Amino acid sequence: MKLLRLPGVYRPQADTWLLMRAMREARIPAGARVLEVCTGTGALAIAAVRHGAASVTAVDRYLPAVLSARFNTRVRGLPVEVRHGDLSGSIEGAPFDVVLANPPYVPCESAGDPDGAALAWDAGADGRKHLDCLCDKAHDLLTPGGTMLVVHSSLCGIRQTVEMLRDNGLKTSVVARAIEPFGPVLRSRIGFLERSGLIAPGQRHEELVVIRADRTER
């Protein structure tokens, strides 16, 4: 898939492909309305339409990502609306049949808000700044019978995500896993991660997971 990617926009990589595989295996219902959170280049939005979605609302808080995704979806003539925003406010058009999310989840030392490319990965000291918000809102983002798929690293707590989603009334399970070597961002933070107890001494890999959450009542 050839995609325009403006400087600083998150490049589709292992977590993107793992989430895309889980989406294909989940089989988006024909005609589904899909929300993609943290769209980046729009790769998942494009894949969602190709696998049956009638429309996709794609959201990103980094303006160059919004512009990249708009170009990549419009040049293909796809029914995708790309918006500048995040989960801190309401999402127009909610609820959706399917929600796809690859939110920022990398732990960082800085307590301030990131800017530029770091918007795609920095997520507070425990990596859960955006995950917790997503878990809190997941039930209301989904139609009855709807499904959310979210990808993140084991470094920020698989069990915590599963338990938060279950506490919010969703049937939840881990549906995909992959072991990946640390990329440049995590390699640059090994000292902080070890001091924080987020990785074992000498650890240089992470487990990526896709968690599925279903709103089962109809």
Side-chain angles (χ1 to χ4, degrees):
M1 187 187 298
K2 293 184 178 181
L3 299 168
L4 170 73
R5 185 171 65 90
L6 293 177
V9 176
Y10 188 74
R11 175 177 58 84
Q13 49 193 287
D15 51 2
T16 312
W17 310 132
L18 189 66
L19 180 55
M20 192 177 293
R21 189 185 80 194
M23 179 196 70
R24 290 196 303 266
E25 293 175 353
R27 298 186 180 181
I28 290 177
R33 296 176 60 250
V34 175
L35 170 67
E36 189 204 352
V37 180
C38 306
T39 190
T41 60
L44 280 162
I46 293 168
V49 174
R50 290 178 173 174
H51 285 84
S55 64
V56 179
T57 298
V59 179
D60 203 289
R61 60 182 182 149
Y62 187 41
L63 186 56
V66 173
L67 298 176
S68 298
R70 281 179 180 167
F71 175 86
N72 290 326
T73 55
R74 288 178 181 177
V75 76
R76 291 168 171 81
L78 301 179
V80 178
E81 180 183 0
V82 185
R83 300 178 186 167
H84 186 212
D86 58 26
L87 286 171
S88 62
S90 61
I91 301 290
E92 184 180 347
F96 295 87
D97 303 307
V98 177
V99 175
L100 306 171
N102 184 1
Y105 55 73
V106 177
C108 62
E109 291 186 86
S110 174
D113 289 332
D115 56 18
L119 285 167
W121 53 75
D122 279 357
D126 60 359
R128 296 203 58 89
K129 179 178 180 180
H130 305 284
L131 279 167
D132 287 346
C133 181
L134 179 64
C135 290
D136 285 339
K137 294 193 173 189
H139 184 277
D140 293 337
L141 288 174
L142 291 170
T143 58
T147 297
M148 184 179 80
L149 296 168
V150 55
V151 63
H152 69 75
S153 170
S154 60
L155 300 185
C156 48
I158 299 169
R159 180 179 295 180
Q160 188 169 345
T161 300
V162 169
E163 290 179 350
M164 285 188 69
L165 291 168
R166 287 177 178 168
D167 288 346
N168 283 308
L170 301 175
K171 179 183 177 183
T172 307
S173 61
V174 176
V175 295
R177 298 177 182 268
I179 302 296
E180 295 291 334
F182 284 171
V185 174
L186 285 175
R187 288 199 300 269
S188 72
R189 299 178 183 183
I190 285 171
F192 162 68
L193 295 171
E194 289 183 343
R195 290 193 305 273
S196 302
L198 294 171
I199 64 171
Q203 180 179 336
R204 299 296 182 266
H205 66 273
E206 62 179 330
E207 182 181 33
L208 299 177
V209 298
V210 176
I211 296 171
R212 174 172 176 161
D214 294 287
R215 183 174 169 180
T216 55
E217 79 272 18
R218 294 184 181 274

